[in-house]
DNA sequence: GTAACTGCAAAATATTTGCATCCTT
DNA sequence: AAGGATGCAAATATTTTGCAGTTAC
């Protein structure tokens, strides 16, 4: 039984350091996408700068991805296995941003429908974000 | 023939000032969505703080909206007529972010397809952003 | 041992707030 | 005239950069 964080780092050919493991663990145990600030709080033994640099590295390697939100914040989430494997990032599920609790959730079961672009445009990635009230806030 | 910027301000019950008119004109003559920085450059006779406050006001009144992008920037665009009218903002077309020139375009002819959310979730707004290479960069 | 990673300090940017003055109605 | 909008100054917050010391391999 190998540590999951370590195995993620290994498959991206990154050296295994305690800050990187910690930040991956934070993502693994989070149920939602996280803002830089959230990560700072949850991994507060590490320098803010290290977190910036680590997130940057993870983005480049496709370990995490950003979720575009209308509320002027940037949220990060772990990529699912199949989106790391291909080398090319593609996240094909819908994201949900709750206007009440502010959480960003991956709706893994809701696929993004196909669309047709006008002539001359090529598509590399597609994102779909729904704003509203989530299950928990509504209850 | 009334000035278009003035008529937009009037229908939102905002007082007509030169900075507000200028900023609306900037949007009207832009072919793409604009970042705060772009607006600063295009309306550089006005204070940076005024631009912050004006954009904030316009967002609240539904004169402009933000477009979520994966590249960690916030882009603003004028709402189309029909999205102002209802009081409730709803932008039902797809946005395109060109990875090469960085421009954000409204694909007015491409509608966002309907999706079904899991039980317990309610939808207030939906956004769809496609990344890729635009028509002009490809040519 | 070497290259890469981290922490600290500091610089550069971006955003927010307070207040006095000016402009719109 | 009154309320709201603007500009300036300054306080905060965010992000980037340089460098020296430390760690992974």
């Amino acid at each position: 039984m190998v540590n999951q964080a370590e195995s993620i780092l290994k498959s991206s050919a990154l050296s295994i350091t305690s800050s990187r493991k910690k930040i991956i663990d934070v993502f693994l145990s989070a149920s939602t996408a996280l803002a830089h600030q959230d990560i700072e709080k949850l991994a507060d033994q590490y320098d803010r700068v290290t977190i910036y640099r680590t997130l940057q590295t993870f983005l480049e390697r496709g370990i995490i991805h950003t979720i575009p939100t209308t509320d002027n914040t940037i949220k990060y989430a772990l990529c699912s296995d199949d989106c790391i494997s291909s080398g090319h990032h593609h996240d094909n599920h819908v994201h949900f941003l709750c206007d009440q609790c502010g959480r960003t959730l991956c709706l893994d079961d809701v696929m993004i429908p196909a669309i047709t672009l006008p002539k001359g445009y090529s598509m590399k990635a597609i994102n779909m974000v729904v704003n509203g009230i989530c299950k928990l806030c509504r209850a």
Side-chain angles (χ1 to χ4, degrees), chain A:
Chain A
M1 176 55 193
V2 181
N3 179 298
Q4 197 175 352
E6 292 191 11
S7 90
I8 290 173
L9 289 170
K10 267 177 200 158
S11 53
S12 290
L14 288 173
S15 52
I16 294 165
T17 67
S18 93
S19 62
R20 285 178 178 166
K21 280 195 289 186
K22 174 65 181 176
I23 291 176
I24 290 180
D25 284 339
V26 163
F27 278 113
L28 285 171
S29 54
S31 59
T32 69
L34 301 169
H36 180 101
Q37 253 190 350
D38 302 324
I39 299 162
E40 259 180 56
K41 278 179 209 142
L42 294 167
D44 63 350
Q45 64 268 56
Y46 297 103
D47 196 89
R48 182 189 292 251
V49 175
T50 298
I51 296 173
Y52 277 109
R53 291 195 269 226
T54 304
L55 291 176
Q56 189 55 44
T57 303
F58 286 1
L59 279 176
E60 282 161 9
R61 301 306 173 102
I63 295 174
I64 59 174
H65 64 274
T66 57
I67 299 171
T69 61
T70 41
D71 68 350
N72 298 4
T73 61
I74 303 149
K75 298 286 183 78
Y76 303 89
L78 274 187
C79 291
S80 51
D81 298 335
D82 59 336
C83 98
I84 298 177
S85 58
S86 73
H88 218 62
H89 178 73
H90 54 89
D91 213 30
N92 51 3
H93 62 269
V94 172
H95 289 111
F96 188 90
L97 175 57
C98 179
D99 292 330
Q100 196 161 320
C101 65
R103 280 190 297 197
T104 304
L105 307 161
C106 293
L107 300 180
D108 290 304
D109 296 333
V110 185
M111 292 294 123
I112 298 181
I115 57 161
T116 306
L117 294 177
K119 272 212 180 310
Y121 291 84
S122 70
M123 185 183 309
K124 276 197 192 142
I126 185 162
N127 275 281
M128 194 160 185
V129 183
V130 176
N131 282 69
I133 306 293
C134 77
K135 208 171 166 176
L136 292 173
C137 285
R138 209 183 185 187

